[in-house]
């Protein structure tokens, strides 16, 4: 598994555009990102029935969210909130590196960096072991952050069902209340 640091964004973009995934530090836990959803499903041995999250940056002009929804989301994005709309999960990560990368590639499929059903990795050494079968299809992007057991995945809210699917640091119920208030 090749290792890069966040300043090597040209090389990282090159690998992503040439059929590789990258294990990256996000504002929550280490994640695996790719321009191809199938690369993530294969690397994680993840069933296709489990959806991936799409990292985006320009959510205000993407045509996904209404103006009222955007008003609420501006309070939480970039940040630790995943929003499902029309059965697709979206997130704007609060990571300068990922936001800079999204300026170049527009979107990235993403998931936590772990085999399906296991806990997310916390280091390059864990990534090498966890993704040894996919080492030729995955690169590792080193960052200065250290992950701890207190790290939490993002809060997930489903706007299609007005429901909190996963609790994280952000109060998903509060976000839903704000969404309902702007709709009325």
């Amino acid at each position: 598994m090749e290792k890069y640091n966040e300043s090597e964004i040209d090389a990282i973009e090159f690998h992503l555009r040439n059929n590789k995934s990258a294990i990256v530090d996000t504002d929550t836990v280490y994640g695996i990102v790719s321009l191809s959803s199938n690369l993530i499903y294969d690397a994680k041995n993840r069933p296709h029935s489990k959806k991936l999250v799409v990292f985006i940056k320009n959510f205000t002009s993407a045509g996904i969210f209404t103006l009222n929804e955007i008003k609420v989301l501006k309070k939480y994005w970039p940040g630790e909130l995943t929003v499902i709309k029309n059965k697709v999960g979206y997130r704007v990560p609060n990571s300068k590196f990922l936001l800079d990368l999204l300026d170049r590639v527009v979107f990235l499929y993403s998931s936590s960096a772990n085999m399906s059903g296991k806990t997310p990795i916390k280091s390059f050494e864990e990534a090498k072991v966890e993704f040894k079968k996919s080492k030729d299809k995955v690169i590792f992007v080193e960052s200065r952050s250290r992950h701890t057991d207190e790290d939490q995945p993002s809060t997930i809210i489903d706007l299609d069902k007005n429901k909190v699917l996963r609790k994280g640091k952000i109060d998903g119920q509060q976000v839903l209340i704000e969404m309902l208030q702007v709709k009325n």
Side-chain angles (χ1 to χ4, degrees):
M1 182 181 299
E2 295 178 69
K3 186 176 179 180
Y4 296 87
N5 66 54
E6 291 178 343
S7 67
E8 297 174 282
I9 196 164
D10 291 334
I12 295 161
E13 177 188 2
F14 173 83
H15 285 297
L16 289 171
R17 290 192 185 278
N18 286 278
N19 215 27
K20 288 196 178 183
S21 296
I23 295 174
V24 298
D25 191 10
T26 72
D27 51 331
T28 55
V29 295
Y30 274 111
I32 183 168
V33 298
S34 181
L35 291 170
S36 165
S37 61
N38 286 331
L39 287 175
I40 296 176
Y41 283 116
D42 291 346
K44 288 184 55 134
N45 196 25
R46 183 180 175 100
H48 284 267
S49 60
K50 289 183 149 189
K51 301 283 187 184
L52 300 177
V53 172
V54 179
F55 280 170
I56 56 174
K57 181 177 181 180
N58 298 316
F59 69 97
T60 57
S61 61
I64 301 163
F65 301 100
T66 67
L67 290 176
N68 286 334
E69 290 167 340
I70 289 169
K71 286 178 190 175
V72 175
L73 292 174
K74 280 183 173 181
K75 292 172 56 178
Y76 298 98
W77 277 350
E80 301 176 20
L81 177 68
T82 298
V83 176
I84 296 172
K85 184 164 183 189
N86 300 325
K87 299 182 182 179
V88 178
Y90 298 96
R91 187 157 97 80
V92 180
N94 191 12
S95 156
K96 180 182 178 343
F97 163 72
L98 284 172
L99 293 173
D100 289 347
L101 189 57
L102 287 166
D103 279 336
R104 295 166 171 240
V105 299
V106 183
F107 76 94
L108 288 165
Y109 292 104
S110 69
S111 183
S112 56
N114 55 285
M115 288 295 127
S116 192
K118 293 189 177 180
T119 57
I121 62 147
K122 293 183 175 51
S123 69
F124 176 63
E125 290 72 28
E126 282 184 56
K128 284 194 305 189
V129 171
E130 194 83 358
F131 293 95
K132 66 183 171 211
K133 290 189 338 191
S134 302
K135 69 180 183 215
D136 296 334
K137 292 268 188 194
V138 177
I139 64 169
F140 185 86
V141 180
E142 189 173 47
S143 73
R144 292 186 209 125
S145 299
R146 298 271 187 242
H147 285 274
T148 68
D149 291 333
E150 286 82 46
D151 291 334
Q152 295 179 31
S154 64
T155 299
I156 300 176
I157 63 167
D158 187 333
L159 292 183
D160 299 335
K161 299 176 182 173
N162 288 322
K163 186 176 179 181
V164 177
L165 300 183
R166 181 172 68 199
K167 292 181 181 181
K169 291 181 183 174
I170 292 175
D171 183 347
Q173 202 59 49
Q174 178 61 38
V175 178
L176 286 175
I177 289 168
E178 290 175 39
M179 287 288 189
L180 289 171
Q181 289 172 344
V182 296
K183 284 182 182 179
N184 297 329

